[in-house]
């Protein structure tokens, strides 16, 4: 079990208080190997930075749709991106073949 360090939690809360708007994204897919998910996560991190955002690495759990329509609950590497617009979150989610992204608007 990985424990969230107090410094990481403080950083997350500080970003959320400052930026208000944020997104949570992942490049992982349950159908990919762990190696492929790591590779795609690295690429997504670079893509987030190229759009001018910083990020905090987090782990999430999601119900992922399989090709046969069934849902599988998976743990995946994710990025919390303070200040990311909904447009950018959706674009990156589509680029990385995601079923969904999380976005919270300011206010």
């Amino acid at each position: 079990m990985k424990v969230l360090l107090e410094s990481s939690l403080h950083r997350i809360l500080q970003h959320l208080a400052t930026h208000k708007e944020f997104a949570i994204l992942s490049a992982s897919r349950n159908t990919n190997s762990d190696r492929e998910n790591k590779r795609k996560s690295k690429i997504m991190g670079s893509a987030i930075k190229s759009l001018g955002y910083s990020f905090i690495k987090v782990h999430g759990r999601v119900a992922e749709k399989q090709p046969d329509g069934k849902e599988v609950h998976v743990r995946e590497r994710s990025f919390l991106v303070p200040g990311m617009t909904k447009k950018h979150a959706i674009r990156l989610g589509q680029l990385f073949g995601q079923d969904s992204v999380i976005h919270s608007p300011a206010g």
Side-chain angles (χ1 to χ4, degrees):
M1 178 173 158
K2 207 169 196 180
V3 177
L4 182 65
L5 300 176
E6 184 178 340
S7 60
S8 298
L9 178 59
H10 176 71
R11 184 171 173 224
I12 289 170
L13 294 174
Q14 184 179 28
H15 277 295
L16 297 180
T18 304
H19 296 283
K20 309 283 191 249
E21 181 175 40
F22 69 91
I24 300 175
L25 311 162
S26 176
S28 297
R29 294 294 302 180
N30 187 50
T31 53
N32 293 340
S33 68
D34 188 54
R35 183 177 179 185
E36 180 68 4
N37 281 332
K38 284 180 183 177
R39 186 184 74 76
K40 288 187 175 200
S41 290
K42 187 173 182 176
I43 294 168
M44 179 178 263
S46 295
I48 291 168
K49 287 180 181 177
S50 75
L51 290 170
Y53 299 105
S54 63
F55 58 80
I56 300 166
K57 291 181 182 180
V58 295
H59 281 91
R61 293 192 183 273
V62 66
E64 189 175 285
K65 286 186 181 180
Q66 301 300 297
D68 62 7
K70 293 181 182 179
E71 287 188 351
V72 175
H73 293 271
V74 297
R75 182 173 184 257
E76 58 187 22
R77 294 171 191 86
S78 302
F79 299 92
L80 186 147
V81 188
M84 180 171 269
T85 64
K86 183 177 179 180
K87 178 181 173 181
H88 282 155
I90 291 170
R91 187 182 312 156
L92 283 175
Q94 291 170 336
L95 182 65
F96 286 88
Q98 297 302 297
D99 295 328
S100 61
V101 296
I102 295 172
H103 180 266
S104 178

